[in-house]
Amino acid sequence: MSRVRSKNTKPEVSVRRALHAAGYRFRLHRKDLPGKPDIVLPKYRIAVFVNGYFWHGHGCKRSKLPATNTEFWRGKVARNTTRDQEAQRQLAEIGWHVHIIWTCSTKHGLEQLMQLLQGRKPGIPV
Ligand SMILES: [Zn+2]
């Protein structure tokens, strides 16, 4: 299992590649934004988090908690989820659209992101 906010994971890299191929400009791991989003599209004010399904508690089949030490893991995941929600709330407050891509369904999340981008008018980069 990887760390909570590990950088440059395989799904993250494939999302970056697709965005780059489609001609979108983006920045990585911006420390000046709440939750340090993995990918930021400044012209579109979109913050993307590429979230591991286990650590960030997706709730899907694959994110099931281990049968041993279940309460320990539940607590850990719950703390991450709370932190994620807080960052998302703060980002929304300062006018960012947050898009989550789950690592169990990267392709789907990426398709949604592309649709989102196509439907948004670019503005002055932030
Ligand atoms: Zn999942």
Side-chain angles (χ1 to χ4, degrees):
M1 280 171 216
S2 57
R3 295 188 312 125
V4 178
R5 275 259 76 98
S6 52
K7 290 177 186 175
N8 308 316
T9 58
K10 216 178 128 202
E12 216 181 300
V13 170
S14 70
V15 171
R16 272 146 57 174
R17 267 203 203 115
L19 285 172
H20 182 78
Y24 289 110
R25 298 281 194 109
F26 53 86
R27 304 253 320 262
L28 305 175
H29 312 290
R30 254 179 67 171
K31 291 191 189 76
D32 61 325
L33 290 176
K36 245 191 276 172
D38 295 313
I39 301 166
V40 164
L41 292 118
K43 261 198 205 174
Y44 295 85
R45 244 187 149 92
I46 294 174
V48 180
F49 290 93
V50 182
N51 279 352
Y53 51 85
F54 180 79
W55 288 110
H56 296 272
H58 188 195
C60 64
K61 264 191 209 150
R62 282 170 76 177
S63 65
K64 244 183 86 191
L65 296 167
T68 53
N69 290 322
T70 311
E71 286 318 304
F72 168 78
W73 292 112
R74 196 191 308 283
K76 253 190 142 36
V77 171
R79 280 192 294 280
N80 291 338
T81 309
T82 304
R83 203 183 304 133
D84 290 346
Q85 283 166 353
E86 180 58 19
Q88 286 165 32
R89 195 188 57 76
Q90 288 175 12
L91 281 164
E93 243 176 46
I94 54 172
W96 284 80
H97 181 95
V98 176
H99 183 71
I100 311 286
I101 295 181
W102 294 97
T103 52
C104 52
S105 47
T106 309
K107 208 180 148 221
H108 175 68
L110 180 59
E111 280 164 11
Q112 285 183 321
L113 175 60
M114 289 299 185
Q115 275 173 22
L116 183 68
L117 280 163
Q118 280 154 22
R120 268 170 96 88
K121 258 201 295 179
I124 296 158
V126 276

